[in-house]
Amino acid sequence: QFNLLCGKMTYAQDVKRAWNLLWQPGTESKKSMDISSALKFYYKIGILGLIAFLVVGALLISAGIVPSGYRTIMSQFVNVTYFSFAVLFTGAVLYFLILIPISIAINALIIQAIGKYLLNSWRGDYSKTFAAETLSYSPILLFSWLMLIPILRSLFFIFVIWQAVILIIAIATQQKVSRTNAFVALLATWILVVAFVVLFLMFTSAALLSLFTLPVNSSITVLPAIPYR
């Protein structure tokens, strides 16, 4: 009974911490976390966000608010409502429980490589950057359900911008550097990532064009016409 009570208190404290990160990111991101603790924190808040997302989505589907593409494409094969529920559930589980944690791990790895080894902005290890990245996702997890409501969708993008602000502050507190250094490291990361993506798309496009385009100096053999008799 005592362990159960402690578990409830810990969960409540994590939810409170996630909420307070919206308003006091400097204070709430001071507590050091290893990767295991950060993952536990993530999944506690992530499951809460998943439930909220599913509840709002289910209410919208029950009210008949279904994407028009489902009506035109799937109505001939399956029940649109059931199909919408299946898409909602599958997409939400993948998004909250798999895709975001993978994104956090990769983003933290890139930020750590650039901040520590390229810019020498801090000396802390990867776990601190991972914790900062995890904490910064609190507004995304708590308010992803806003994406489902058209009139509130723009409000969600405000939380996306605020997530970047929390990340800067959390990296500064976790890695014990100035917020300026944290901002420069993140800015350099974003610039390098965007540059890499642009170059990748350019080279990929050039390679695809070269496959489907004949060289200018290529010789084309024209068969002689057979006279009609």
Side-chain angles (χ1 to χ4, degrees):
Q1 184 178 2
F2 176 76
N3 291 334
L4 181 62
L5 180 61
C6 289
K8 290 182 178 179
M9 290 178 62
T10 302
Y11 188 84
Q13 289 171 354
D14 286 335
V15 173
K16 182 180 179 182
R17 184 182 187 186
W19 177 257
N20 288 339
L21 274 165
L22 301 175
W23 324 110
Q24 299 173 333
T27 302
E28 295 297 330
S29 60
K30 286 182 179 179
K31 182 180 178 181
S32 181
M33 302 171 68
D34 57 17
I35 294 178
S36 176
S37 300
L39 283 174
K40 289 179 181 177
F41 174 84
Y42 171 83
Y43 279 105
K44 288 178 182 178
I45 309 306
I47 290 175
L48 181 64
L50 172 62
I51 294 173
F53 191 90
L54 290 175
V55 168
V56 173
L59 290 174
L60 292 175
I61 294 173
S62 300
I65 304 176
V66 178
S68 58
Y70 294 171
R71 298 183 186 279
T72 58
I73 298 173
M74 300 304 302
S75 59
Q76 300 178 4
F77 306 100
V78 296
N79 184 283
V80 176
T81 301
Y82 292 157
F83 178 76
S84 300
F85 276 120
V87 171
L88 173 71
F89 181 80
T90 304
V93 169
L94 288 174
Y95 176 70
F96 283 94
L97 303 186
I98 298 176
L99 295 180
I100 293 183
I102 292 175
S103 175
I104 289 175
I106 295 175
N107 291 344
L109 183 63
I110 297 173
I111 295 170
Q112 178 71 6
I114 294 175
K116 181 177 181 178
Y117 299 106
L118 184 62
L119 300 179
N120 198 26
S121 298
W122 56 74
R123 297 182 178 179
D125 58 16
Y126 170 76
S127 64
K128 297 183 182 300
T129 304
F130 184 88
E133 182 79 19
T134 302
L135 292 172
S136 72
Y137 265 81
S138 293
I140 304 297
L141 298 176
L142 293 175
F143 295 101
S144 285
W145 57 270
L146 292 172
M147 292 189 298
L148 300 173
I149 306 175
I151 61 174
L152 299 179
R153 200 165 291 161
S154 58
L155 183 60
F156 173 73
F157 289 105
I158 296 176
F159 287 110
V160 172
I161 297 173
W162 189 240
Q163 183 260 342
V165 176
I166 295 176
L167 179 58
I168 294 171
I169 298 173
I171 287 180
T173 55
Q174 287 287 321
Q175 294 289 358
K176 295 184 174 21
V177 296
S178 68
R179 293 180 182 179
T180 301
N181 285 346
F183 171 74
V184 171
L186 285 178
L187 182 62
T189 301
W190 294 330
I191 291 174
L192 290 175
V193 169
V194 170
F196 174 80
V197 171
V198 170
L199 289 175
F200 176 79
L201 293 176
M202 289 175 59
F203 282 116
T204 302
S205 301
L208 291 175
L209 286 174
S210 66
L211 290 175
F212 297 101
T213 305
L214 286 173
V216 177
N217 59 350
S218 62
S219 59
I220 301 177
T221 303
V222 180
L223 296 176
I226 300 175
Y228 175 76
R229 294 179 180 179

